[in-house]
Amino acid sequence: MSTVRRTLLLAVLVAAAGGLAFATGAAVVDGPADTFAEERLAVQPVDGPNGAYAYLDDDDEIVVDVSGSNPKLPSDFDGVNPGTLASADGVFTITYTADEYARVWIEHPEENVTFVADGESIEGEANNVTLAPDETVAIGLEVDARGAVAGTQLGGDDFDIRAQVADPESVDSASTADEGDGDGGDGPVTTVRRPAPASRAFEGRGLSPGGVVTFDAGAMDIVSGVVTLDRVRIDAADGGDVDFETVGRPEPFASAGPLNDSRGAAPVGYFEFDHSFAGDEVSRVRFSVSVDRDYLNETGGDPDDLSLYRRAASEPDGWERLETERVDPAVRRLLDLPEDRVHVTASTDEFSVFAVATERPRIRATDASLDREAVDPGASTVVRATVANEGGSDGASDVTLTAAGEPVATQRVELGPDETASLAFEATFDEPGTYDIAVGGVSAGTLAVGDPAGDGDEDDTASVEGGTDDGGTAAPDGDASDPPTEEPSGIGPSNLVGLAVFLAIVLASVALVRRMPRS
């Protein structure tokens, strides 16, 4: 069952306000619409007087607004008269475009407001309206203001549009035509030719300009039953005829090569879209793909992270990630899709080779730094790092601080795509030395602990050279070439001998001078 919640504004009751107009209307899916259930249900304001009570907001979602705030109503409209039972037929339409019958109803908690179709309540499953393919129902309003006084606020709650496939009823449609002569009468005819387990050839004949047609790919294999292409929807800009082929395989196509995504997406299969139409003849193609849940579990993929990629040489990685939508359980039940598979859709206006992939987290350190580059033994320093998730899905990872390649501490981070986190590690080293510090493999620098160049424990003295006159001993290894050490006084024994000889010469000279005859 599919559900879509939309806004109801039934604002203020004011005396002398104009009553709701009475008119009927109907619409087809032509122009902007509020769509859901893979765009097989379309909601539009009626093109008529009462259609002014509904409009599409900036997100193309239907708003029912019977108040002075409605931009489509006259500026002097203030609301609904108190004490009246006002009604408006044909405020908006719901159109069903799929190939099976569907039951449609609305749920709304406000007792003063009733949604009606052909004057009968359409609120609650018991009051549903059954729609055939391409059938439209006009939805109106009844507002019971009896007993209310001017200024009373009514409504304001959201309302839910609910739909469910009317199983087991089904109808034949041109979109399921067998191979034939292509004569489909007034509507488009689609044909599947040369079906094989991993390939299909499609033909579409008689498409109207701006029309949309869905081709049933019949669960074409991309990876042997576990990954399949289920439907291809064509938006024909010019109408006429279209022809294309699809081929699936688990390995990359030689023409495109493997999916190399810097964000870490893991490919699970590929398919090729080969077409003969010109690019301006088709404005958009939507692919519907499904993957077996057990297969995802076995390969470590998350159902929420299933994505489609298109080969695009202009992209930095060579692949463009398409905006991929997961079909929610309510829509899956509406379309009667298998519950044991994950169903996704993606649209593109360019066509080449496509990859089905699961997004993966890619968490890594991007930089690291030291608060101090030198500390005493036993003192601590702080190591800071920035960690980023560069992948396409949520994830968790352990980030490790290492010193000289050995793990010192670990912190765990959980990050969403494109999120970052700042980490701080406090580390203490008791042994002197130098340590290369890193976080997650990213260098933070070199940390010096103590004074590894000279700690004062080595004997800096050396013996003098062996065999000298001063009686000095040789170096321990017997190497006489080692220089002798200096005496602390600065005057060695050899200097004292020379001084004694000098004094003896001086004294002898003095004595000789005294003995010389005097003139």
Side-chain angles (χ1 to χ4, degrees):
M1 181 174 64
S2 178
T3 302
V4 60
R5 174 158 289 190
R6 294 300 181 249
T7 303
L8 172 65
L9 298 174
L10 283 163
V12 184
L13 298 171
V14 180
L20 299 182
F22 289 86
T24 60
V28 295
V29 184
D30 183 16
D34 182 357
T35 60
F36 61 105
E38 285 193 320
E39 301 186 8
R40 298 187 177 204
L41 280 165
V43 184
Q44 294 177 298
V46 164
D47 186 15
N50 288 348
Y53 298 120
Y55 59 88
L56 299 176
D57 63 14
D58 292 339
D59 296 323
D60 280 339
E61 294 184 354
I62 194 75
V63 176
V64 177
D65 188 353
V66 188
S67 74
S69 65
N70 187 333
K72 294 176 64 177
L73 294 174
S75 58
D76 58 353
F77 181 83
D78 295 317
V80 181
N81 284 329
T84 63
L85 178 62
S87 64
D89 293 329
V91 174
F92 62 93
T93 61
I94 302 174
T95 302
Y96 183 63
T97 63
D99 301 333
E100 296 177 316
Y101 287 105
R103 298 186 181 95
V104 179
W105 69 94
I106 292 175
E107 293 187 355
H108 176 62
E110 184 64 53
E111 295 181 355
N112 299 85
V113 180
T114 304
F115 288 90
V116 296
D118 293 329
E120 300 293 333
S121 171
I122 193 176
E123 292 190 359
E125 185 175 3
N127 297 318
N128 71 84
V129 172
T130 300
L131 299 179
D134 299 320
E135 186 174 357
T136 297
V137 60
I139 307 298
L141 289 175
E142 289 184 353
V143 180
D144 189 354
R146 293 172 297 186
V149 297
T152 301
Q153 181 83 23
L154 288 183
D157 293 315
D158 294 338
F159 65 95
D160 294 334
I161 303 174
R162 298 181 180 267
Q164 188 175 50
V165 172
D167 187 58
E169 300 173 34
S170 62
V171 294
D172 294 330
S173 170
S175 64
T176 58
D178 294 329
E179 184 175 335
D181 59 12
D183 182 11
D186 296 332
V189 174
T190 64
T191 304
V192 180
R193 299 186 183 276
R194 303 190 306 276
S199 64
R200 301 281 191 276
F202 301 91
E203 295 178 358
R205 299 291 179 260
L207 279 65
S208 59
V212 176
V213 63
T214 300
F215 296 84
D216 186 356
M220 184 196 82
D221 280 345
I222 296 175
V223 180
S224 188
V226 295
V227 184
T228 60
L229 176 65
D230 300 327
R231 292 173 303 283
V232 180
R233 169 179 162 153
I234 299 288
D235 289 14
D238 296 338
D241 301 335
V242 294
D243 297 275
F244 61 93
E245 295 185 7
T246 56
V247 178
R249 58 188 299 178
E251 301 85 12
F253 288 86
S255 60
L259 171 63
N260 292 316
D261 176 50
S262 60
R263 295 172 64 85
V268 295
Y270 301 82
F271 66 93
E272 186 177 40
F273 183 84
D274 187 15
H275 61 89
S276 60
F277 53 79
D280 57 356
E281 294 178 352
V282 170
S283 60
R284 186 175 66 164
V285 174
R286 176 186 287 266
F287 298 107
S288 297
V289 174
S290 66
V291 181
D292 182 76
R293 290 181 181 274
D294 291 339
Y295 177 77
L296 284 175
N297 292 333
E298 293 170 2
T299 56
D302 189 324
D304 291 331
D305 297 328
L306 201 60
S307 298
L308 267 66
Y309 283 76
R310 182 184 68 85
R311 182 71 172 94
S314 60
E315 294 293 322
D317 293 328
W319 292 83
E320 174 195 12
R321 184 187 182 277
L322 302 180
E323 190 66 32
T324 307
E325 298 179 4
R326 183 182 175 188
V327 178
D328 64 48
V331 176
R332 186 193 67 228
R333 289 191 292 270
L334 169 66
L335 301 178
D336 199 25
L337 302 177
E339 295 185 7
D340 59 348
R341 303 180 69 82
V342 179
H343 303 267
V344 296
T345 64
S347 298
T348 179
D349 56 5
E350 297 185 57
F351 321 110
S352 58
V353 172
F354 299 85
V356 183
T358 54
E359 305 290 346
R360 304 295 174 97
R362 191 180 182 214
I363 298 175
R364 69 182 190 93
T366 57
D367 64 72
S369 62
L370 286 165
D371 274 8
R372 293 190 292 169
E373 296 181 350
V375 296
D376 293 328
S380 65
T381 186
V382 177
V383 185
R384 304 185 187 277
T386 300
V387 181
N389 182 3
E390 299 173 347
S393 67
D394 299 342
S397 179
D398 292 330
V399 182
T400 300
L401 169 70
T402 60
E406 297 296 325
V408 174
T410 298
Q411 293 189 37
R412 188 166 184 81
V413 294
E414 296 183 4
L415 297 172
D418 299 320
E419 286 186 350
T420 61
S422 298
L423 303 182
F425 297 86
E426 185 173 0
T428 302
F429 299 89
D430 296 327
E431 296 297 326
T434 57
Y435 298 86
D436 292 329
I437 306 299
V439 178
V442 175
S443 174
T446 300
L447 178 67
V449 180
D451 184 8
D455 56 11
D457 292 335
E458 295 180 1
D459 184 3
D460 59 358
T461 62
S463 60
V464 296
E465 184 174 323
T468 58
D469 290 340
D470 60 1
T473 59
D477 57 0
D479 187 356
S481 64
D482 288 342
T485 59
E486 295 182 353
E487 294 295 333
S489 66
I491 302 178
S494 59
N495 299 110
L496 294 175
V497 172
L499 181 60
V501 172
F502 174 75
L503 290 175
I505 293 174
V506 171
L507 291 174
S509 298
V510 171
L512 180 61
V513 169
R514 287 179 176 179
R515 292 179 181 180
M516 290 180 64
R518 302 184 178 192
S519 55

